[in-house]
Amino acid sequence: MPQAEVKTEVPKVLNKTTPGLQIWRVENMELVPCPSKTHGQFYEGDSYIILYTKKTSSTFTYDIHYWLGKATSVDEQGSAAIYATMMDEHLGGVAVQHRETQGYESDTFKGYFKSGIIYKKGGVASGMKQVETNTYNIRRLLHVKGKKNIVAGEVDMTWNSFNKGDVFLLDLGNLIIQWNGPQSNRMERLRGMNLAKDIRDRERGGRAQITVVEGDDEKSSEEAMNLMKQALGERKHIKDPIADDVVDQKLKSSIKLFHVSDDSGSLVVQEVAVKPLTQDLLNPNDCYLLDQGGIRIFIWKGRKSSKKERTESLNRAEAYKKAKGYPPSTYVETVNDGSESSVFKQLFQKWTVKGQTVGMGTTHSPGKIAKVEQVKFDVNSMHARPDIAAQQKMVDDGSGEAETWRIEDNELVPVERKWLGHFYGGDCYLILYKYQVSGKLHYILYMWQGRHASTAELTASAYQAVILDQKYNGEPVQVRVPMGKEPMHLMAIFKGKMVIYEEGSSREHSTYVQPPVRLFHIQGSNEFTTRAIEVPPRSSSLNSNDVFVLGTSSCCYLWCGKGCSGDEREMGKSLADIISKREKHVIAEGQEPADFWVNLGGKSQYANSKRLQEENSHITPRLFECSNQTGTFIATEISHFNQDDLDESDVMLLDIWDQVFLWIGKEANETEKKEAVVTAQEYLKSHPAGRDLDTPILVVKQGFEPPTFTGWFHAWDSHKWSGGKSYEDLKSELGDATDMIKITVDMTKPSSQTNSNNSMGVISPTTRTIYPAEQLVNLQVEELPTDVDPSKREEHLSDQDFALVLGVSRLNFYSMPVWKQQNLKKEKGLF
């Protein structure tokens, strides 16, 4: 499209330092800002630009979405795409661009609008304004879909639009009727109610009433049903539920990376790699296309790629979609080198940020704990600052009370004091940790599983964990710890004296024969991060950046690599005393005696380059709702999550990459509770990045969340669920809408029945006897006419007296919340 058709200068309408949402509609090729009260409402005939700005510690991150309605013109689509590119350039080329189409929006986009998204019919071309002046003159039917990410579309005002599995809102301006399908679930009904409240409060300024009709008990809402019949015609047979489109998790995990070029003058897309992808496949001189099972397409623009390649990247994505036969609605995201989205980064096995350096001795090896910022891990600090607890994965300093058991013959046997801290690869252990916060006990149950433990022992450890959990009323946080994946807090419990043996057992009658030569890799520099892990006794196991202990039949060597720190040497000395009681020989790299190499089978090459750069894993925590009720595992992401997204009937998964939390709501069904860990393992198996299946899994129950979990949620409220309101409580708070229903019925009757003297066009209820104001105002109950209900005396006033006594019209009065009505009636002597 020619540049001339873009009429707005982006810098004039854009504020790059305002956190949150800014939304524009494309009107006659110009960008027109949308007021905040209309955010989440989109006309089907239009295109929009949405900018989400987030402030980080020292800078801003940006997400630009251009949203295309299903009936928007080709010209408007083109303008929206050009504006998105211009906006990215103005922001310095650091924004993530998203192409969104109506009905196929990304979870990231839906997450901005917690109350839901509303599609409205029409658009600029049909004269529809983004801000409507008469918000009461409305008649529409909204079909509400979704459990977490709500989308509501305008449908035909007829019973044919209904089905038994969803929620519908009949919006009549002053009155909103929520009809719940008999087969809709509690969460869908709750979300529908929240959307109705959002329309009432944001669009109508709180001056509308809501009533609920339960589709399986319509007789209880006879008056509301009569009004629905008046608006929609005679009640017809309601269709069966429509199955939601479910994306197979296997499709999501099928990813391919392509190199895109047009050097030959025509588009060439060449496959580079399939899952698992590694970051080094991306060359900064080029552009790449990543296809996630045809569900999502990502364009990655290298920082040194040509301007032509960068500007044409979206066209290339569109051409690729056509070539593959993908639907036009397929989601496309454009990311810039160095400013990638968390969703893109998690498609790779590991994503590191270069140029962040730390001291020596922190080289990465499998399962190694990264260098830890020195923080005082006392329990009160960790619970007062859960954000720090979450980042450090520590609830306290490990000084609480711990009990350790070993699985023997499927039973729990306490581990003798002399073996505490010794973990053998042929065993399974349970460690129950207790700590106090403000006088209340909290529990963590670690399940350590040896690499060589039998299947029976692994099963028994899980079974015994359930029994222990029940003994403590389901309060313990359960942590599954595969051998070699020990969390920092578990190491802290043993104060830097944890030794992990490859094989064997510490049980009394073990037949395991200890080898004469053993080599241990010392990992860590303080009591919170240190453990000794047995490695094969070969010189190739050594690393110049670390400390190793070599135990032989005659002596014990403490080998210190050139790159290790003084703290690491000190921790090595204390662990050497635990590993071997023989005489210690401290040797520096390069000064080894011949006997040292003889015991390692001869000298050979080993890792000896000094690595100054720590691989800093840059992972954004992600929250998913997990379900396998349909027989297929489904993980639905909740973006921009907060505590409100944890629903009591759900099992939620919080992925922080090197650990996975499973949060179990109180009302979650028994099957989901029992299969929680299987759910987490299924998530790891189906993850597109080819995740480590031994990633520790932590099971957290509602009401017993540790700060290592709550710290990932902004402004966690520990009392949120103690006074939690049920769906029925919230429904009853909507108040009695009977009077508004009657008024609305009268308003929709033929005009011959209306009172021509009423300037507001509102009818007095014809079923009531009208009395002069002096017979109703400031009188005792016994002084009222016999047919007057003392709590509804205002209904017996004429419209003229009503407006005179109460100071508002009848329509405006019934649009008020019930408490406001009551206060006004008290003030005016009608209560």
Side-chain angles (χ1 to χ4, degrees):
M1 182 196 294
Q3 187 75 25
E5 297 206 33
V6 177
K7 300 177 182 176
T8 302
E9 292 180 43
V10 165
K12 289 187 176 178
V13 297
L14 173 70
N15 188 333
K16 59 168 76 172
T17 58
T18 301
L21 284 177
Q22 296 174 69
I23 302 179
W24 300 264
R25 182 164 74 155
V26 178
E27 297 185 11
N28 300 318
M29 310 310 158
E30 292 184 15
L31 282 185
V32 178
C34 300
S36 58
K37 75 173 188 176
T38 68
H39 287 183
Q41 300 172 22
F42 299 95
Y43 280 103
E44 296 179 343
D46 291 330
S47 295
Y48 293 78
I49 298 283
I50 296 92
L51 173 66
Y52 179 73
T53 306
K54 184 178 180 183
K55 184 157 182 13
T56 57
S57 54
S58 58
T59 183
F60 293 90
T61 61
Y62 304 99
D63 283 89
I64 301 167
H65 303 254
Y66 62 102
W67 184 92
L68 309 175
K70 66 181 182 184
T72 188
S73 70
V74 174
D75 285 349
E76 284 180 339
Q77 288 185 43
S79 287
I82 290 172
Y83 277 126
T85 304
M86 289 170 64
M87 214 170 262
D88 182 31
E89 287 172 2
H90 176 61
L91 296 169
V94 297
V96 176
Q97 290 183 51
H98 313 254
R99 179 184 184 274
E100 310 278 0
T101 54
Q102 181 182 338
Y104 301 93
E105 295 86 355
S106 63
D107 291 333
T108 303
F109 184 85
K110 292 175 184 172
Y112 299 138
F113 310 102
K114 290 294 183 186
S115 295
I117 293 170
I118 298 176
Y119 302 139
K120 302 169 87 167
K121 290 185 175 177
V124 174
S126 55
M128 295 296 182
K129 293 179 180 159
Q130 192 67 25
V131 183
E132 291 156 356
T133 50
N134 186 358
T135 56
Y136 297 105
N137 187 22
I138 282 177
R139 282 168 60 82
R140 64 179 177 179
L141 180 64
L142 294 173
H143 180 185
V144 183
K145 284 185 73 68
K147 184 178 170 188
K148 288 291 179 189
N149 297 319
I150 301 299
V151 174
E154 282 188 33
V155 291
D156 292 339
M157 293 263 295
T158 163
W159 288 104
N160 292 332
S161 298
F162 285 70
N163 73 70
K164 294 177 184 174
D166 289 327
V167 172
F168 292 80
L169 300 180
L170 178 59
D171 184 1
L172 299 172
N174 288 290
L175 178 69
I176 300 167
I177 301 176
Q178 174 176 337
W179 184 90
N180 296 326
Q183 294 177 39
S184 60
N185 62 41
R186 171 189 162 278
M187 197 65 208
E188 289 167 327
R189 297 177 184 198
L190 199 55
R191 297 291 182 194
M193 188 183 292
N194 287 340
L195 180 60
K197 286 179 176 178
D198 189 59
I199 294 169
R200 176 193 69 190
D201 298 336
R202 275 205 302 156
E203 284 190 41
R204 316 283 150 78
R207 299 166 78 84
Q209 287 199 308
I210 301 165
T211 191
V212 179
V213 175
E214 301 297 352
D216 49 6
D217 186 22
E218 292 176 349
K219 289 179 182 175
S220 298
S221 309
E222 193 175 344
E223 289 174 318
M225 278 303 297
N226 287 339
L227 181 52
M228 288 186 76
K229 290 172 187 173
Q230 200 167 307
L232 304 169
E234 204 51 47
R235 168 81 154 77
K236 293 185 178 178
H237 175 71
I238 305 293
K239 295 187 295 249
D240 287 330
I242 301 166
D244 291 328
D245 291 333
V246 173
V247 176
D248 191 335
Q249 210 70 13
K250 286 177 183 171
L251 269 181
K252 282 189 179 179
S253 66
S254 165
I255 57 176
K256 291 181 179 179
L257 184 68
F258 298 87
H259 178 248
V260 183
S261 81
D262 60 355
D263 294 339
S264 60
S266 59
L267 180 76
V268 177
V269 179
Q270 185 176 3
E271 187 173 318
V272 176
V274 295
K275 169 188 171 180
L277 300 181
T278 54
Q279 189 179 353
D280 57 9
L281 291 166
L282 301 172
N283 183 335
N285 295 305
D286 294 320
C287 288
Y288 293 84
L289 185 148
L290 194 156
D291 182 352
Q292 189 182 6
I295 301 159
R296 292 173 172 167
I297 290 172
F298 297 85
I299 293 283
W300 183 86
K301 299 191 286 191
R303 62 184 179 278
K304 295 178 183 176
S305 58
S306 70
K307 187 173 182 183
K308 184 186 177 197
E309 283 184 324
R310 294 168 66 81
T311 53
E312 292 185 359
S313 57
L314 277 170
N315 293 337
R316 291 178 179 181
E318 293 304 310
Y320 174 81
K321 278 160 54 175
K322 284 180 185 172
K324 295 287 283 185
Y326 292 158
S329 58
T330 304
Y331 171 81
V332 178
E333 178 173 307
T334 307
V335 296
N336 292 297
D337 186 356
S339 305
E340 295 85 358
S341 66
S342 60
V343 174
F344 179 81
K345 287 189 281 197
Q346 290 205 12
L347 297 173
F348 291 77
Q349 240 179 352
K350 188 194 298 176
W351 192 277
T352 58
V353 176
K354 299 176 178 63
Q356 297 179 352
T357 58
V358 293
M360 297 170 91
T362 56
T363 180
H364 178 82
S365 59
K368 180 160 184 181
I369 300 296
K371 197 169 184 74
V372 176
E373 180 189 345
Q374 294 303 306
V375 176
K376 189 182 177 189
F377 295 121
D378 68 273
V379 65
N380 292 323
S381 298
M382 291 294 97
H383 282 256
R385 286 293 306 277
D387 54 330
I388 295 176
Q391 291 288 345
Q392 302 293 344
K393 305 179 181 69
M394 296 284 280
V395 294
D396 68 354
D397 58 6
S399 60
E401 179 190 339
E403 289 181 80
T404 307
W405 297 271
R406 183 176 51 246
I407 300 293
E408 287 186 30
D409 300 324
N410 300 337
E411 297 297 328
L412 287 182
V413 176
V415 172
E416 306 90 316
R417 188 174 182 82
K418 67 176 181 177
W419 293 117
L420 289 176
H422 294 260
F423 290 81
Y424 286 83
D427 286 334
C428 288
Y429 300 85
L430 293 188
I431 302 101
L432 180 66
Y433 182 75
K434 304 175 185 176
Y435 64 103
Q436 279 201 350
V437 185
S438 306
K440 185 180 185 305
L441 270 174
H442 295 254
Y443 308 93
I444 301 175
L445 180 58
Y446 291 102
M447 295 165 276
W448 190 92
Q449 299 173 335
R451 192 176 292 124
H452 303 286
S454 67
T455 305
E457 285 174 329
L458 291 169
T459 305
S461 71
Y463 174 71
Q464 292 294 345
V466 170
I467 294 174
L468 266 177
D469 184 60
Q470 290 172 346
K471 180 180 175 182
Y472 290 93
N473 302 316
E475 294 182 25
V477 173
Q478 296 179 37
V479 188
R480 171 183 163 270
V481 184
M483 178 174 165
K485 300 287 182 181
E486 294 73 24
M488 191 164 77
H489 185 258
L490 180 59
M491 288 187 264
I493 293 172
F494 296 100
K495 300 289 179 281
K497 295 178 180 176
M498 177 182 257
V499 182
I500 298 167
Y501 302 88
E502 178 60 30
E503 296 185 76
S505 172
S506 62
R507 65 186 72 182
E508 197 171 342
H509 304 294
S510 172
T511 56
Y512 176 71
V513 179
Q514 183 173 317
V517 178
R518 303 185 99 159
L519 182 65
F520 293 87
H521 186 178
I522 310 301
Q523 299 181 347
S525 56
N526 59 47
E527 65 179 22
F528 300 120
T529 63
T530 303
R531 63 190 164 177
I533 298 181
E534 187 174 4
V535 293
R538 294 192 293 267
S539 53
S540 58
S541 297
L542 298 174
N543 187 311
S544 293
N545 295 288
D546 292 320
V547 176
F548 289 78
V549 173
L550 177 65
T552 72
S553 54
S554 56
C555 68
C556 176
Y557 294 102
L558 180 66
W559 184 87
C560 302
K562 289 176 182 175
C564 73
S565 67
D567 288 338
E568 288 173 319
R569 285 194 291 273
E570 287 305 311
M571 295 310 297
K573 285 175 187 174
S574 65
L575 278 164
D577 290 334
I578 296 169
I579 290 166
S580 174
K581 302 302 178 191
R582 293 188 171 85
E583 185 184 357
K584 309 295 183 300
H585 298 282
V586 179
I587 54 175
E589 183 179 3
Q591 298 175 4
E592 301 87 354
D595 182 60
F596 178 83
W597 296 117
V598 168
N599 279 290
L600 289 178
K603 187 175 181 179
S604 65
Q605 283 191 326
Y606 57 86
N608 59 7
S609 59
K610 290 186 181 179
R611 288 204 223 166
L612 294 174
Q613 185 170 303
E614 173 69 22
E615 294 182 332
N616 286 280
S617 189
H618 239 237
I619 296 299
T620 305
R622 298 172 73 189
L623 184 70
F624 296 86
E625 179 202 1
C626 294
S627 169
N628 55 4
Q629 290 177 333
T630 59
T632 306
F633 173 71
I634 303 161
T636 307
E637 183 164 8
I638 316 299
S639 60
H640 313 287
F641 63 83
N642 56 38
Q643 190 181 356
D644 291 335
D645 292 309
L646 298 174
D647 184 69
E648 296 183 66
S649 60
D650 283 338
V651 171
M652 306 293 289
L653 185 146
L654 179 68
D655 183 1
I656 58 170
W657 198 258
D658 57 353
Q659 291 183 2
V660 169
F661 287 95
L662 269 175
W663 181 89
I664 301 176
K666 284 178 182 171
E667 305 299 325
N669 69 53
E670 287 305 315
T671 307
E672 287 183 332
K673 284 181 184 177
K674 285 177 185 171
E675 296 181 0
V677 174
V678 177
T679 298
Q681 289 169 332
E682 196 65 39
Y683 169 79
L684 290 168
K685 276 182 197 169
S686 62
H687 197 284
R691 294 285 286 280
D692 183 348
L693 299 183
D694 282 338
T695 301
I697 296 165
L698 293 79
V699 178
V700 175
K701 300 188 190 68
Q702 181 187 335
F704 303 103
E705 298 85 358
T708 45
F709 177 81
T710 63
W712 298 109
F713 294 79
H714 180 64
W716 182 272
D717 177 8
S718 56
H719 302 293
K720 176 180 171 64
W721 289 298
S722 55
K725 292 175 180 173
S726 67
Y727 165 72
E728 293 302 327
D729 293 336
L730 293 168
K731 193 165 110 176
S732 64
E733 284 180 4
L734 295 173
D736 182 9
T738 307
D739 296 318
M740 180 55 73
I741 291 170
K742 286 177 180 172
I743 286 175
T744 310
V745 167
D746 287 338
M747 285 178 71
T748 53
K749 282 180 182 174
S751 56
S752 60
Q753 295 180 22
T754 62
N755 181 345
S756 59
N757 296 324
N758 179 12
S759 61
M760 293 298 296
V762 181
I763 305 306
S764 304
T766 53
T767 54
R768 311 279 191 205
T769 308
I770 302 300
Y771 291 104
E774 57 268 20
Q775 290 187 34
L776 300 166
V777 179
N778 291 324
L779 294 175
Q780 297 296 320
V781 173
E782 57 273 12
E783 298 176 289
L784 294 171
T786 52
D787 62 340
V788 172
D789 181 341
S791 66
K792 294 182 179 179
R793 52 180 96 186
E794 74 281 358
E795 294 181 0
H796 297 270
L797 288 168
S798 67
D799 287 336
Q800 193 173 359
D801 283 345
F802 191 102
L804 201 64
V805 172
L806 287 160
V808 293
S809 69
R810 197 182 294 275
L811 180 61
N812 287 340
F813 175 80
Y814 287 121
S815 297
M816 292 178 181
V818 175
W819 63 271
K820 270 193 178 178
Q821 294 178 20
Q822 305 287 32
N823 286 349
L824 187 59
K825 283 161 64 175
K826 284 177 187 174
E827 184 188 326
K828 303 298 183 182
L830 285 167
F831 197 77

